[in-house]
Amino acid sequence: MTSTEPQARPRVEGDREQEILRAALRVLAEVGYDRLTMDAVATEARASKATLYRRWKDKVTLVIDALLAEKEQPTLPDTGSLRGDLLGAFCGMGGITDPRQLATFSSVLTAVTRDPEFAEAFRTRVIGPKIALTQRIYERARDRGEIRDDVDLEILGPALAGILLHRFHVLGQPPTAEVVARVVDQIILPAATSPTASNGPSSRPTRQESHD
């Protein structure tokens, strides 16, 4: 190679890539997605902005990669019961009771509703595997005969996470393993296993009939 030939720019990979991703997570936790900039991440990582752009085209791809680097790949519990599998999936490290996961979700919550490009990437790459895992838990429970065949899994599947996130973001009550168990026992399992009323409200005995 002669001195006049341009040298290839080195790729950002390995330990340096992880340092930048961790810096992105720190900035994300501090200011949220909306106020995060490539400049801020570069400063936090002690790198140039050009270095970041050699690896990531914009902050969407950078933040998604950072979230994936932090997030453990979900594993499918195999306890033999719907209750055990749900508790295994939602409790502990990487589950919804993990403070890191809650903090991460909170930092991108507004972006999911305001930034279509980020929302699509977040739902597909970050949330998608978790949704698929939960869906598989319910499908396997149905195959075992634990839940009714007519249960709408598209409705029931997100219910547990929805309840827990509502309690956290609206009521200010962080999810705990004990709360997860209560929601599973009092809401999810009854909804999945209780028989439906075949004849509607008229199938229930009236107060007068119950005394006859």
Side-chain angles (χ1 to χ4, degrees):
M1 179 181 295
T2 66
S3 59
T4 59
E5 292 178 335
Q7 295 184 359
R9 294 182 298 183
R11 286 181 53 83
V12 179
E13 56 188 4
D15 291 342
R16 188 57 177 141
E17 179 182 33
Q18 294 306 309
E19 290 172 359
I20 294 173
L21 293 176
R22 287 193 292 270
L25 289 174
R26 290 194 297 271
V27 175
L28 182 66
E30 181 178 350
V31 304
Y33 178 84
D34 295 335
R35 296 174 59 192
L36 181 145
T37 65
M38 298 292 270
D39 280 328
V41 175
T43 299
E44 179 69 21
R46 298 182 179 180
S48 69
K49 190 165 64 172
T51 297
L52 270 61
Y53 279 112
R54 284 202 292 269
R55 175 64 178 79
W56 299 278
K57 67 175 184 177
D58 52 29
K59 77 173 188 177
V60 172
T61 54
L62 171 60
V63 171
I64 292 296
D65 279 358
L67 294 175
L68 290 173
E70 178 197 43
K71 182 179 176 63
E72 296 181 4
Q73 290 300 313
T75 57
L76 183 66
D78 189 11
T79 66
S81 72
L82 175 59
R83 183 182 191 275
D85 287 351
L86 289 174
L87 295 182
F90 280 81
C91 298
M93 295 297 292
I96 203 167
T97 60
D98 186 344
R100 296 178 308 166
Q101 298 300 317
L102 284 175
T104 295
F105 187 81
S106 299
S107 67
V108 301
L109 188 59
T110 57
V112 172
T113 61
R114 296 178 183 176
D115 187 327
E117 183 183 359
F118 177 81
E120 176 64 22
F122 183 75
R123 289 171 181 144
T124 301
R125 299 183 60 196
V126 180
I127 298 298
K130 183 66 175 178
I131 293 175
L133 180 143
T134 303
Q135 187 78 1
R136 180 60 185 137
I137 287 175
Y138 283 105
E139 291 173 349
R140 195 168 57 182
R142 185 165 59 187
D143 292 342
R144 289 194 300 260
E146 277 192 89
I147 62 178
R148 305 190 321 269
D149 289 337
D150 64 337
V151 170
D152 187 341
L153 296 185
E154 289 188 1
I155 297 296
L156 185 61
L160 178 55
I163 292 170
L164 296 171
L165 290 173
H166 177 273
R167 287 172 56 89
F168 178 62
H169 289 290
V170 177
L171 305 180
Q173 301 173 1
T176 64
E178 187 268 338
V179 170
V180 173
R182 283 166 51 200
V183 175
V184 168
D185 291 338
Q186 298 180 32
I187 299 177
I188 303 302
L189 293 181
T193 60
S194 298
T196 57
S198 58
N199 297 319
S202 61
S203 64
R204 297 181 179 180
T206 65
R207 181 175 300 178
Q208 180 62 39
E209 289 172 339
S210 65
H211 289 291
D212 292 343

